[in-house]
Amino acid sequence: MHLRWSEHDGPPVPPPRRRGFGTRLITQGLRDELDCTVSLDFNVAGVVCTLDIPLPEPGP
C-alpha cells in the first residue's frame, strides 16, 4: 500500500535543524511497527509524508 500525506495552504515549513522526538516517532516507529518505508519531505508548501507498506497476501 502506498500512502501519501500532504499538507498545504498553511504557513511555510522550513526544514528542521534537528530531528526531534515526533520526527523519530514517525520515521523509525512506523518503519519498525509496519515494516515499511517512510519518507518525510519538508517542502516550503507543507510537509509530505510517504509510507510504502507491504500488505500480506490474501488467504485462500
Side-chain angles (χ1 to χ4, degrees):
M1 175 172 63
H2 181 80
L3 176 69
R4 183 174 184 262
W5 173 271
S6 178
E7 298 179 352
H8 54 86
D9 295 333
V13 179
R17 288 178 276 198
R18 64 179 184 82
R19 295 208 174 247
F21 175 74
T23 302
R24 288 193 311 270
L25 181 66
I26 291 170
T27 56
Q28 296 172 6
L30 287 176
R31 179 197 67 206
D32 295 345
E33 187 66 27
L34 300 175
D35 191 28
C36 67
T37 303
V38 180
S39 170
L40 271 179
D41 295 315
F42 295 91
N43 298 327
V44 175
V47 175
V48 177
C49 179
T50 306
L51 304 173
D52 286 308
I53 307 166
L55 297 178
E57 293 294 323

